[in-house]
Amino acid sequence: MKLFPKYIFLSILFLLFINVYGQEIKVYDQFSDFEPLLQKSNDTTYVVNFWATWCKPCVKELPEFQALNKKFKDQKFKMILVSLDFKNQVETKVKDFIREREIQAEVVLLADSKQHLWIDKVNPEWSGSIPVTLIYNDNFNFFKEGSMIFEELNELITNNIKK
Amino acid sequence: MKRIILSMVSIILFSGALLADGYQVGDKAKDFKLINIDGEYVSMADYKDAKGFIVIFTCNHCPYAKLYEDRIIGLDQKFKAKGYPVIAINPNDSVKQPEDSYSNMIARANDKGFTFPYLLDADQSIAKTYGATRTPHVFLLQKDGKKYVVKYIGAIDDNAKIPDEVEEKWVEEAIASVREGNDPDPNFTKAIGCSIKWAE
């Protein structure tokens, strides 16, 4: 019984740690279940970035997105980082990466292997390489295949976010 | 007046074609002369007996390229004898992606036992001319006299991650169509891949 309070104390510490940097990652096996994240219709501006831990330019640009998320997260703004990592690496590689990089934006994993059926649904201009970034709200749509920097992102959000 | 308008229209159309990024199916592809892992230079013109080529932009580091290595070897083994050899080209800048350096290409090809040339597009001009954007990215070419006509652009098949669950072997089907004198259907597919690492 003496151990009990200590156990609770450690658990709370552990949970706090998990909550801050060790988020659960939702895995989408079917694109159709994931697709609503690209079609939300409300007053929020969404930034959706497709990336992977194995993608060097993606990893390089992530701090730019983290800075953007930090600046706007308390406004009508939502960032979703869509990992295209391999499903069997979610619990290891992807989670470790998120914890190490202290990523706070929501991370999901899209595992639908029939890529040719969903690439065009994300955007017909997309050839299939990553990183790719979509920014959208009710009256604004942006798509870019290739890396982005904070200044570019910041300007797009500042000009289009709803007050 | 009509003639002037027509020529203006054709100039606009022509300049549009020049501005378009890379090849589309039906375009004539440029030959290249690129260094192979054995130190020799390779051109399509060297292959007197080939009927066409499976040109694949690929590299060492990319997990999708790795997933397809065995299948690329399989394509070469299956189609070289039928006149459609694989020519692999690494388009990546080794400053940005050191794993894709020339010496690492040699090591990778030896480890995997590549049966085909693995060429370095050192100035990235062939990848740019062809319009390759990712690795792996396939361009199936058909020889027509001295020309190389693009017949198919895209992925090798419809499932990079799980070879056992492949339902459509696009490149194989495209070659079968071309051999029968037909146009492949589909002649263009998309897949997730690593972006080509362009030099800055």
Side-chain angles (χ1 to χ4, degrees):
Chain A
M1 269 320 260
K2 268 187 183 173
L3 282 172
F4 197 56
K6 196 174 173 185
Y7 169 73
I8 290 183
F9 176 70
L10 286 174
S11 304
I12 290 170
L13 262 186
F14 182 68
L15 285 172
L16 277 175
F17 183 69
I18 292 255
N19 278 337
V20 177
Y21 300 128
Q23 54 172 297
E24 283 303 309
I25 300 170
K26 186 164 169 55
V27 175
Y28 293 92
D29 287 313
Q30 301 290 331
F31 181 78
S32 54
D33 297 329
F34 165 83
E35 199 170 19
L37 297 180
L38 307 178
Q39 298 169 341
K40 300 232 186 228
S41 185
N42 52 48
D43 60 359
T44 300
T45 297
Y46 291 86
V47 174
V48 184
N49 174 257
F50 290 79
W51 68 290
T53 57
W54 47 257
C55 163
K56 205 171 171 181
C58 305
V59 169
K60 196 179 165 197
E61 72 170 0
L62 266 179
E64 315 280 321
F65 284 77
Q66 286 176 273
L68 187 80
N69 191 51
K70 197 172 176 187
K71 180 172 175 187
F72 290 102
K73 67 179 164 49
D74 297 325
Q75 299 183 43
K76 290 169 183 167
F77 173 91
K78 168 89 178 156
M79 181 176 287
I80 303 169
L81 301 175
V82 185
S83 161
L84 297 178
D85 277 276
F86 300 106
K87 198 177 158 184
N88 58 9
Q89 294 177 339
V90 180
E91 294 302 321
T92 51
K93 207 174 167 192
V94 182
K95 278 197 173 169
D96 288 349
F97 182 87
I98 287 165
R99 202 160 36 236
E100 280 160 21
R101 297 286 181 128
E102 303 181 0
I103 290 170
Q104 304 213 21
E106 182 180 351
V107 178
V108 302
L109 188 134
L110 178 57
D112 191 334
S113 61
K114 296 287 179 189
Q115 298 155 355
H116 62 290
L117 298 178
W118 55 257
I119 289 173
D120 276 341
K121 289 182 188 168
V122 173
N123 192 299
E125 287 175 41
W126 187 12
S127 84
S129 78
I130 52 174
V132 146
T133 301
L134 285 80
I135 303 174
Y136 77 93
N137 62 29
D138 281 351
N139 39 31
F140 175 71
N141 248 311
F142 172 86
F143 169 88
K144 183 173 174 184
E145 184 166 355
S147 299
M148 295 191 73
I149 55 167
F150 176 80
E151 288 70 21
E152 196 180 2
L153 292 160
N154 184 45
E155 193 182 330
L156 285 162
I157 299 302
T158 305
N159 291 342
N160 293 289
I161 198 165
K162 297 187 179 177
K163 302 295 168 202
Chain B
M1 190 58 190
K2 206 174 177 181
R3 188 170 284 178
I4 292 168
I5 290 171
L6 266 179
S7 57
M8 280 176 72
V9 167
S10 57
I11 285 167
I12 291 164
L13 286 176
F14 184 62
S15 50
L18 282 179
L19 289 172
D21 286 332
Y23 294 143
Q24 294 181 351
V25 169
D27 286 349
K28 313 248 180 319
K30 184 184 164 186
D31 198 359
F32 38 76
K33 190 176 181 185
L34 300 173
I35 193 161
N36 192 9
I37 40 172
D38 62 2
E40 303 287 326
Y41 283 82
V42 170
S43 295
M44 291 192 282
D46 302 337
Y47 293 73
K48 303 294 177 210
D49 300 327
K51 294 175 181 136
F53 297 93
I54 309 168
V55 175
I56 306 178
F57 292 91
T58 188
C59 64
N60 299 329
H61 89 277
C62 172
Y64 280 90
K66 285 181 185 160
L67 282 168
Y68 274 113
E69 282 171 334
D70 291 337
R71 280 174 268 184
I72 293 172
I73 294 169
L75 281 175
D76 186 58
Q77 287 174 336
K78 186 165 178 183
F79 292 106
K80 194 187 307 195
K82 292 173 176 159
Y84 295 84
V86 166
I87 298 179
I89 301 176
N90 168 22
N92 282 343
D93 175 42
S94 64
V95 175
K96 268 199 175 169
Q97 194 79 52
E99 217 181 317
D100 290 334
S101 69
Y102 183 61
S103 55
N104 285 329
M105 285 170 65
I106 296 168
R108 189 69 193 164
N110 287 334
D111 283 352
K112 291 298 295 182
F114 284 178
T115 54
F116 45 83
Y118 186 24
L119 313 180
L120 177 63
D121 185 12
D123 66 1
Q124 307 186 302
S125 63
I126 298 303
K128 275 182 192 142
T129 303
Y130 276 57
T133 59
R134 59 179 190 268
T135 53
H137 203 162
V138 180
F139 291 75
L140 175 65
L141 310 179
Q142 170 80 352
K143 229 161 133 175
D144 177 10
K146 293 205 164 185
K147 294 179 194 137
Y148 308 100
V149 183
V150 181
K151 289 290 184 180
Y152 170 85
I153 300 174
I156 290 166
D157 57 44
D158 70 348
N159 201 325
K161 291 178 187 172
I162 316 165
D164 288 343
E165 291 181 15
V166 166
E167 288 171 22
E168 294 173 82
K169 296 182 174 181
W170 289 314
V171 168
E172 293 201 18
E173 288 158 17
I175 295 170
S177 298
V178 167
R179 292 183 76 207
E180 287 164 12
N182 299 322
D183 288 326
D185 178 26
N187 60 18
F188 180 86
T189 58
K190 289 183 178 180
I192 296 296
C194 305
S195 53
I196 288 178
K197 308 300 181 279
W198 303 108
E200 269 167 18

